[in-house]
Amino acid sequence: MTLQTGPGPAVAVVVPVRNEAANVEPLVSEIAVSLAHEGPFEVVYVNDGSTDETAAELDRLRQDRPWLRHVRHAVSCGQSAAVRTGVAAARAPLVATLDGDGQNDPSFIPAMLDRLRKDPQIGLVAGQRVGRKDTGFKRLQSRIANGVRSRVLKDGTRDTGCGLKAFRRDVFLALPYFDGLHRFLPALVRRDGFTIAYVDVVDRPRRHGVSKYGFWDRLWIGILDLAGVWWLIRRRVRVPQVTEGDRSC
């Protein structure tokens, strides 16, 4: 198993969780296996106000996993806030994210990181789920949401709801933050002058529990966010290309 050496980790995996105690250990083990050949790494779990045994489980696993970190929100602040907290806490230049329920397969992370390393113009590699294991109603709502978003933003993405993504940490932290940001990453990263790469990923059934972030809770907020992102894209006319003069001249 790879331990941290040198100045810091090369890769960070950020996992937002809320009340996912039963899913923590199997996913942590899978992530470690997937990163075995990626050099020094860290896994940052962001505990978004869990009220079950998630905190205790993470603290137990950290005893013999020096690369595992546990960052907490005192109360639940939502998935976007949890992802941003994790990215801000990460020490690596390349970051991958995935959902904490086990539906995202971490074995796809190395290929996504490889795309980032090979092309500096790629700011985001986004997973696109195939073989969705969600309920029929959830798949329907995703199709509607993705269809509306694609028509309005023209972001060329068929599935922004997939939690499996990889990006450059500095690119992510430069984006305007708002609740719901994680659903609009392709459009906003493209707005800042980067290209987007896509990787088809297998969707797996949830191991334990039920979804913590529901459809009706985010429906109207999502509509307002869509309008806001459309405005941001229209306001960004030109991305500055910055260089600095040679001091020897």
CSV table of all heavy atoms in Angstrom, one decimal, residues 13-17 44-48 71 73 77-90 95-100 124 162-165 167 169 172-173 175 177-183 185 213:
chain,number,residue,atom,x,y,z
A,13,VAL,N,-8.2,12.1,-3.3
A,13,VAL,CA,-9.6,11.7,-3.6
A,13,VAL,C,-10.5,12.2,-2.5
A,13,VAL,O,-10.2,12.0,-1.4
A,13,VAL,CB,-9.7,10.1,-3.7
A,13,VAL,CG1,-11.1,9.7,-3.9
A,13,VAL,CG2,-8.8,9.6,-4.8
A,14,VAL,N,-11.5,13.0,-3.0
A,14,VAL,CA,-12.4,13.6,-2.0
A,14,VAL,C,-13.7,12.9,-2.1
A,14,VAL,O,-14.3,12.7,-3.2
A,14,VAL,CB,-12.6,15.1,-2.4
A,14,VAL,CG1,-13.7,15.8,-1.6
A,14,VAL,CG2,-11.3,15.9,-2.2
A,15,VAL,N,-14.2,12.5,-0.9
A,15,VAL,CA,-15.4,11.7,-0.8
A,15,VAL,C,-16.4,12.4,0.2
A,15,VAL,O,-16.2,12.4,1.4
A,15,VAL,CB,-15.2,10.3,-0.3
A,15,VAL,CG1,-16.5,9.5,-0.4
A,15,VAL,CG2,-14.1,9.6,-1.1
A,16,PRO,N,-17.5,13.1,-0.3
A,16,PRO,CA,-18.5,13.7,0.6
A,16,PRO,C,-19.4,12.6,1.1
A,16,PRO,O,-19.9,11.8,0.3
A,16,PRO,CB,-19.2,14.7,-0.3
A,16,PRO,CG,-19.1,14.1,-1.7
A,16,PRO,CD,-17.8,13.3,-1.7
A,17,VAL,N,-19.7,12.6,2.4
A,17,VAL,CA,-20.6,11.5,3.0
A,17,VAL,C,-21.5,12.1,4.0
A,17,VAL,O,-21.1,13.0,4.8
A,17,VAL,CB,-19.8,10.3,3.6
A,17,VAL,CG1,-19.2,9.5,2.6
A,17,VAL,CG2,-18.8,10.8,4.6
A,44,VAL,N,-9.6,12.2,1.3
A,44,VAL,CA,-10.2,13.1,2.2
A,44,VAL,C,-11.7,12.9,2.3
A,44,VAL,O,-12.4,13.2,1.3
A,44,VAL,CB,-9.9,14.6,1.7
A,44,VAL,CG1,-10.5,15.6,2.7
A,44,VAL,CG2,-8.4,14.8,1.5
A,45,TYR,N,-12.1,12.3,3.3
A,45,TYR,CA,-13.6,12.1,3.6
A,45,TYR,C,-14.1,13.4,4.2
A,45,TYR,O,-13.6,13.8,5.3
A,45,TYR,CB,-13.8,10.9,4.5
A,45,TYR,CG,-14.2,9.7,3.7
A,45,TYR,CD1,-13.2,8.9,3.0
A,45,TYR,CD2,-15.5,9.2,3.7
A,45,TYR,CE1,-13.5,7.8,2.3
A,45,TYR,CE2,-15.8,8.0,3.0
A,45,TYR,CZ,-14.9,7.3,2.3
A,45,TYR,OH,-15.2,6.2,1.6
A,46,VAL,N,-15.1,13.9,3.7
A,46,VAL,CA,-15.8,15.1,4.3
A,46,VAL,C,-17.1,14.6,4.8
A,46,VAL,O,-18.1,14.3,4.1
A,46,VAL,CB,-16.0,16.2,3.3
A,46,VAL,CG1,-16.7,17.4,4.0
A,46,VAL,CG2,-14.7,16.6,2.6
A,47,ASN,N,-17.2,14.6,6.2
A,47,ASN,CA,-18.3,14.1,6.9
A,47,ASN,C,-19.3,15.3,7.0
A,47,ASN,O,-19.1,16.2,7.9
A,47,ASN,CB,-17.9,13.6,8.3
A,47,ASN,CG,-19.0,13.0,9.1
A,47,ASN,OD1,-20.2,13.1,8.7
A,47,ASN,ND2,-18.7,12.5,10.3
A,48,ASP,N,-20.4,15.2,6.2
A,48,ASP,CA,-21.3,16.4,6.1
A,48,ASP,C,-22.4,16.3,7.2
A,48,ASP,O,-23.6,16.0,6.9
A,48,ASP,CB,-21.9,16.4,4.7
A,48,ASP,CG,-22.8,17.6,4.5
A,48,ASP,OD1,-22.5,18.7,5.0
A,48,ASP,OD2,-23.8,17.5,3.7
A,71,VAL,N,-12.5,15.1,7.6
A,71,VAL,CA,-12.8,16.5,7.8
A,71,VAL,C,-14.3,16.5,8.1
A,71,VAL,O,-15.1,15.9,7.4
A,71,VAL,CB,-12.5,17.3,6.5
A,71,VAL,CG1,-12.9,18.8,6.7
A,71,VAL,CG2,-11.0,17.2,6.2
A,73,HIS,N,-18.1,18.6,8.9
A,73,HIS,CA,-19.0,19.7,9.0
A,73,HIS,C,-19.9,19.5,10.3
A,73,HIS,O,-20.4,18.4,10.5
A,73,HIS,CB,-20.0,19.8,7.8
A,73,HIS,CG,-19.4,20.2,6.5
A,73,HIS,ND1,-20.0,20.2,5.3
A,73,HIS,CD2,-18.1,20.8,6.3
A,73,HIS,CE1,-19.2,20.6,4.4
A,73,HIS,NE2,-18.0,21.0,4.9
A,77,CYS,N,-24.3,20.7,5.3
A,77,CYS,CA,-24.3,21.9,4.4
A,77,CYS,C,-24.5,21.5,3.0
A,77,CYS,O,-24.5,22.4,2.1
A,77,CYS,CB,-22.9,22.6,4.6
A,77,CYS,SG,-22.6,23.2,6.2
A,78,GLY,N,-24.7,20.3,2.6
A,78,GLY,CA,-25.0,19.9,1.2
A,78,GLY,C,-23.7,19.4,0.5
A,78,GLY,O,-22.6,19.5,1.0
A,79,GLN,N,-24.0,18.7,-0.6
A,79,GLN,CA,-22.9,18.0,-1.3
A,79,GLN,C,-21.9,19.0,-1.9
A,79,GLN,O,-20.7,18.7,-1.9
A,79,GLN,CB,-23.5,17.2,-2.4
A,79,GLN,CG,-22.6,16.2,-3.1
A,79,GLN,CD,-23.3,15.2,-4.0
A,79,GLN,OE1,-24.5,15.2,-4.1
A,79,GLN,NE2,-22.5,14.3,-4.6
A,80,SER,N,-22.4,20.1,-2.5
A,80,SER,CA,-21.4,21.0,-3.1
A,80,SER,C,-20.5,21.6,-2.0
A,80,SER,O,-19.3,21.7,-2.3
A,80,SER,CB,-22.2,22.2,-3.8
A,80,SER,OG,-22.6,21.8,-5.0
A,81,ALA,N,-21.0,22.0,-0.9
A,81,ALA,CA,-20.2,22.5,0.2
A,81,ALA,C,-19.2,21.4,0.7
A,81,ALA,O,-18.0,21.7,0.9
A,81,ALA,CB,-21.1,22.9,1.4
A,82,ALA,N,-19.6,20.2,0.8
A,82,ALA,CA,-18.7,19.1,1.2
A,82,ALA,C,-17.6,18.9,0.2
A,82,ALA,O,-16.4,18.7,0.6
A,82,ALA,CB,-19.5,17.8,1.4
A,83,VAL,N,-17.9,18.9,-1.1
A,83,VAL,CA,-16.9,18.7,-2.1
A,83,VAL,C,-15.9,19.9,-2.1
A,83,VAL,O,-14.7,19.7,-2.1
A,83,VAL,CB,-17.5,18.7,-3.5
A,83,VAL,CG1,-16.4,18.8,-4.6
A,83,VAL,CG2,-18.3,17.4,-3.7
A,84,ARG,N,-16.4,21.1,-1.9
A,84,ARG,CA,-15.5,22.3,-1.9
A,84,ARG,C,-14.6,22.2,-0.6
A,84,ARG,O,-13.4,22.5,-0.7
A,84,ARG,CB,-16.2,23.6,-1.9
A,84,ARG,CG,-15.3,24.8,-2.2
A,84,ARG,CD,-16.0,26.1,-2.4
A,84,ARG,NE,-15.1,27.0,-3.1
A,84,ARG,CZ,-14.1,27.7,-2.5
A,84,ARG,NH1,-13.8,27.4,-1.2
A,84,ARG,NH2,-13.4,28.5,-3.1
A,85,THR,N,-15.2,21.8,0.5
A,85,THR,CA,-14.4,21.7,1.7
A,85,THR,C,-13.2,20.7,1.5
A,85,THR,O,-12.1,20.9,1.9
A,85,THR,CB,-15.3,21.2,2.9
A,85,THR,OG1,-16.2,22.3,3.2
A,85,THR,CG2,-14.4,20.9,4.1
A,86,GLY,N,-13.5,19.6,0.9
A,86,GLY,CA,-12.5,18.5,0.7
A,86,GLY,C,-11.5,19.0,-0.3
A,86,GLY,O,-10.3,18.7,-0.1
A,87,VAL,N,-11.8,19.7,-1.4
A,87,VAL,CA,-10.8,20.2,-2.3
A,87,VAL,C,-9.9,21.2,-1.7
A,87,VAL,O,-8.7,21.2,-1.9
A,87,VAL,CB,-11.5,20.7,-3.6
A,87,VAL,CG1,-10.5,21.3,-4.6
A,87,VAL,CG2,-12.3,19.6,-4.3
A,88,ALA,N,-10.5,22.1,-0.9
A,88,ALA,CA,-9.7,23.1,-0.2
A,88,ALA,C,-8.8,22.5,0.8
A,88,ALA,O,-7.6,23.0,0.9
A,88,ALA,CB,-10.7,24.1,0.5
A,89,ALA,N,-9.2,21.4,1.4
A,89,ALA,CA,-8.3,20.8,2.4
A,89,ALA,C,-7.3,19.9,1.7
A,89,ALA,O,-6.2,19.6,2.3
A,89,ALA,CB,-9.2,19.9,3.3
A,90,ALA,N,-7.5,19.5,0.5
A,90,ALA,CA,-6.5,18.6,-0.2
A,90,ALA,C,-5.2,19.3,-0.4
A,90,ALA,O,-5.1,20.5,-0.6
A,90,ALA,CB,-7.1,18.1,-1.5
A,95,VAL,N,-7.1,16.2,-8.2
A,95,VAL,CA,-8.1,15.8,-7.3
A,95,VAL,C,-9.2,14.9,-8.1
A,95,VAL,O,-9.6,15.3,-9.2
A,95,VAL,CB,-8.8,17.0,-6.6
A,95,VAL,CG1,-10.0,16.5,-5.7
A,95,VAL,CG2,-7.8,17.8,-5.8
A,96,ALA,N,-9.6,13.8,-7.5
A,96,ALA,CA,-10.7,13.1,-8.0
A,96,ALA,C,-11.8,13.1,-6.9
A,96,ALA,O,-11.5,13.1,-5.7
A,96,ALA,CB,-10.3,11.6,-8.3
A,97,THR,N,-13.0,13.1,-7.4
A,97,THR,CA,-14.2,13.0,-6.4
A,97,THR,C,-15.0,11.8,-6.8
A,97,THR,O,-15.1,11.4,-7.9
A,97,THR,CB,-15.0,14.2,-6.5
A,97,THR,OG1,-15.7,14.4,-7.8
A,97,THR,CG2,-14.2,15.5,-6.2
A,98,LEU,N,-15.7,11.2,-5.8
A,98,LEU,CA,-16.7,10.2,-6.0
A,98,LEU,C,-17.7,10.2,-4.8
A,98,LEU,O,-17.3,10.7,-3.7
A,98,LEU,CB,-16.1,8.8,-6.2
A,98,LEU,CG,-15.5,8.1,-5.1
A,98,LEU,CD1,-15.3,6.6,-5.5
A,98,LEU,CD2,-14.1,8.7,-4.8
A,99,ASP,N,-18.9,9.7,-5.1
A,99,ASP,CA,-19.9,9.7,-4.1
A,99,ASP,C,-19.5,8.6,-3.0
A,99,ASP,O,-18.9,7.6,-3.4
A,99,ASP,CB,-21.3,9.4,-4.7
A,99,ASP,CG,-21.8,10.5,-5.6
A,99,ASP,OD1,-21.3,11.6,-5.4
A,99,ASP,OD2,-22.6,10.2,-6.4
A,100,GLY,N,-20.0,8.8,-1.8
A,100,GLY,CA,-19.7,7.9,-0.7
A,100,GLY,C,-20.6,6.7,-0.6
A,100,GLY,O,-20.4,5.9,0.4
A,124,LEU,N,-11.0,19.3,-16.7
A,124,LEU,CA,-11.9,18.4,-16.0
A,124,LEU,C,-12.1,17.1,-16.8
A,124,LEU,O,-12.3,17.2,-18.0
A,124,LEU,CB,-13.3,19.1,-15.8
A,124,LEU,CG,-14.5,18.2,-15.3
A,124,LEU,CD1,-14.3,17.8,-13.9
A,124,LEU,CD2,-15.8,19.0,-15.5
A,162,CYS,N,-23.0,12.5,-12.3
A,162,CYS,CA,-22.1,11.5,-11.9
A,162,CYS,C,-21.0,12.1,-10.9
A,162,CYS,O,-20.4,13.1,-11.3
A,162,CYS,CB,-21.4,10.9,-13.1
A,162,CYS,SG,-20.2,9.6,-12.7
A,163,GLY,N,-20.9,11.5,-9.8
A,163,GLY,CA,-20.0,12.0,-8.8
A,163,GLY,C,-18.5,11.8,-9.1
A,163,GLY,O,-17.6,12.4,-8.5
A,164,LEU,N,-18.3,10.9,-10.0
A,164,LEU,CA,-16.9,10.5,-10.4
A,164,LEU,C,-16.3,11.5,-11.4
A,164,LEU,O,-16.7,11.6,-12.5
A,164,LEU,CB,-16.9,9.1,-11.0
A,164,LEU,CG,-15.6,8.4,-11.1
A,164,LEU,CD1,-14.8,8.3,-9.8
A,164,LEU,CD2,-15.8,6.9,-11.7
A,165,LYS,N,-15.4,12.3,-10.9
A,165,LYS,CA,-14.8,13.4,-11.7
A,165,LYS,C,-13.3,13.5,-11.3
A,165,LYS,O,-12.9,13.1,-10.1
A,165,LYS,CB,-15.5,14.7,-11.5
A,165,LYS,CG,-16.9,14.8,-11.9
A,165,LYS,CD,-17.5,16.2,-11.7
A,165,LYS,CE,-18.9,16.3,-12.3
A,165,LYS,NZ,-19.9,15.5,-11.5
A,167,PHE,N,-10.0,16.5,-11.7
A,167,PHE,CA,-9.7,17.9,-12.1
A,167,PHE,C,-8.5,18.4,-11.5
A,167,PHE,O,-8.0,17.8,-10.5
A,167,PHE,CB,-10.9,18.8,-11.9
A,167,PHE,CG,-11.5,18.7,-10.5
A,167,PHE,CD1,-10.9,19.3,-9.4
A,167,PHE,CD2,-12.7,18.0,-10.3
A,167,PHE,CE1,-11.4,19.1,-8.1
A,167,PHE,CE2,-13.2,17.8,-9.0
A,167,PHE,CZ,-12.6,18.4,-7.9
A,169,ARG,N,-6.8,21.0,-9.0
A,169,ARG,CA,-7.3,21.6,-7.8
A,169,ARG,C,-7.4,23.1,-8.0
A,169,ARG,O,-8.4,23.8,-7.6
A,169,ARG,CB,-6.3,21.3,-6.7
A,169,ARG,CG,-6.7,22.0,-5.3
A,169,ARG,CD,-5.8,21.5,-4.2
A,169,ARG,NE,-6.2,22.1,-2.9
A,169,ARG,CZ,-5.7,23.3,-2.5
A,169,ARG,NH1,-4.8,24.0,-3.3
A,169,ARG,NH2,-6.1,23.8,-1.4
A,172,PHE,N,-10.5,24.2,-10.0
A,172,PHE,CA,-11.7,24.1,-9.3
A,172,PHE,C,-11.9,25.2,-8.3
A,172,PHE,O,-12.9,25.8,-8.2
A,172,PHE,CB,-11.7,22.7,-8.5
A,172,PHE,CG,-13.0,22.6,-7.7
A,172,PHE,CD1,-14.1,21.9,-8.2
A,172,PHE,CD2,-13.0,23.0,-6.4
A,172,PHE,CE1,-15.2,21.7,-7.4
A,172,PHE,CE2,-14.2,22.9,-5.6
A,172,PHE,CZ,-15.3,22.2,-6.1
A,173,LEU,N,-10.8,25.5,-7.6
A,173,LEU,CA,-10.9,26.6,-6.6
A,173,LEU,C,-11.0,28.0,-7.1
A,173,LEU,O,-11.5,28.9,-6.4
A,173,LEU,CB,-9.7,26.5,-5.6
A,173,LEU,CG,-9.6,25.3,-4.7
A,173,LEU,CD1,-8.3,25.3,-3.9
A,173,LEU,CD2,-10.8,25.2,-3.8
A,175,LEU,N,-13.2,28.6,-9.5
A,175,LEU,CA,-14.6,28.7,-10.0
A,175,LEU,C,-15.4,29.5,-9.0
A,175,LEU,O,-15.1,29.4,-7.8
A,175,LEU,CB,-15.2,27.4,-10.2
A,175,LEU,CG,-14.5,26.4,-11.2
A,175,LEU,CD1,-15.2,25.1,-11.2
A,175,LEU,CD2,-14.6,27.1,-12.6
A,177,TYR,N,-18.1,30.0,-6.4
A,177,TYR,CA,-18.8,29.0,-5.5
A,177,TYR,C,-20.2,29.3,-5.3
A,177,TYR,O,-20.6,30.5,-5.0
A,177,TYR,CB,-18.1,28.8,-4.2
A,177,TYR,CG,-18.8,27.8,-3.3
A,177,TYR,CD1,-18.9,26.5,-3.6
A,177,TYR,CD2,-19.6,28.3,-2.2
A,177,TYR,CE1,-19.6,25.6,-2.8
A,177,TYR,CE2,-20.3,27.5,-1.5
A,177,TYR,CZ,-20.4,26.1,-1.7
A,177,TYR,OH,-21.1,25.3,-1.0
A,178,PHE,N,-21.1,28.3,-5.3
A,178,PHE,CA,-22.5,28.4,-4.9
A,178,PHE,C,-23.0,27.0,-4.6
A,178,PHE,O,-22.4,26.0,-5.1
A,178,PHE,CB,-23.4,29.1,-6.0
A,178,PHE,CG,-23.3,28.4,-7.3
A,178,PHE,CD1,-24.2,27.4,-7.7
A,178,PHE,CD2,-22.3,28.7,-8.3
A,178,PHE,CE1,-24.2,26.8,-8.9
A,178,PHE,CE2,-22.3,28.1,-9.5
A,178,PHE,CZ,-23.2,27.1,-9.8
A,179,ASP,N,-24.1,26.9,-3.9
A,179,ASP,CA,-24.7,25.6,-3.5
A,179,ASP,C,-25.2,25.0,-4.8
A,179,ASP,O,-26.1,25.6,-5.5
A,179,ASP,CB,-25.7,25.8,-2.5
A,179,ASP,CG,-26.2,24.5,-2.0
A,179,ASP,OD1,-25.5,23.5,-2.1
A,179,ASP,OD2,-27.3,24.4,-1.4
A,180,GLY,N,-24.8,23.9,-5.2
A,180,GLY,CA,-25.2,23.2,-6.5
A,180,GLY,C,-24.1,23.3,-7.5
A,180,GLY,O,-24.3,22.8,-8.6
A,181,LEU,N,-22.9,23.8,-7.2
A,181,LEU,CA,-21.8,24.0,-8.1
A,181,LEU,C,-21.4,22.6,-8.7
A,181,LEU,O,-21.1,22.6,-9.9
A,181,LEU,CB,-20.6,24.5,-7.4
A,181,LEU,CG,-19.2,24.5,-8.1
A,181,LEU,CD1,-19.2,25.4,-9.3
A,181,LEU,CD2,-18.1,24.9,-7.1
A,182,HIS,N,-21.5,21.5,-8.0
A,182,HIS,CA,-21.0,20.3,-8.5
A,182,HIS,C,-21.8,19.8,-9.7
A,182,HIS,O,-21.3,19.0,-10.5
A,182,HIS,CB,-21.0,19.2,-7.4
A,182,HIS,CG,-22.4,18.8,-6.9
A,182,HIS,ND1,-23.1,19.6,-6.1
A,182,HIS,CD2,-23.1,17.7,-7.2
A,182,HIS,CE1,-24.3,19.0,-5.8
A,182,HIS,NE2,-24.3,17.9,-6.5
A,183,ARG,N,-23.0,20.3,-9.9
A,183,ARG,CA,-23.8,19.9,-11.0
A,183,ARG,C,-23.5,20.7,-12.3
A,183,ARG,O,-24.1,20.4,-13.4
A,183,ARG,CB,-25.3,20.0,-10.7
A,183,ARG,CG,-25.7,19.0,-9.6
A,183,ARG,CD,-27.2,18.9,-9.5
A,183,ARG,NE,-27.8,20.2,-8.9
A,183,ARG,CZ,-27.9,20.4,-7.6
A,183,ARG,NH1,-27.5,19.5,-6.7
A,183,ARG,NH2,-28.5,21.5,-7.2
A,185,LEU,N,-20.1,21.8,-13.2
A,185,LEU,CA,-18.7,21.9,-13.4
A,185,LEU,C,-18.3,21.9,-14.8
A,185,LEU,O,-17.4,22.7,-15.2
A,185,LEU,CB,-18.0,20.7,-12.7
A,185,LEU,CG,-17.8,20.9,-11.1
A,185,LEU,CD1,-17.1,19.6,-10.6
A,185,LEU,CD2,-17.1,22.1,-10.8
A,213,TYR,N,-29.4,13.0,-0.6
A,213,TYR,CA,-29.7,14.3,-1.3
A,213,TYR,C,-30.8,14.1,-2.3
A,213,TYR,O,-30.6,13.6,-3.4
A,213,TYR,CB,-28.4,14.8,-1.9
A,213,TYR,CG,-27.2,15.0,-1.0
A,213,TYR,CD1,-26.2,14.1,-1.0
A,213,TYR,CD2,-27.3,16.0,-0.1
A,213,TYR,CE1,-25.1,14.3,-0.1
A,213,TYR,CE2,-26.2,16.2,0.8
A,213,TYR,CZ,-25.1,15.3,0.8
A,213,TYR,OH,-24.1,15.5,1.7
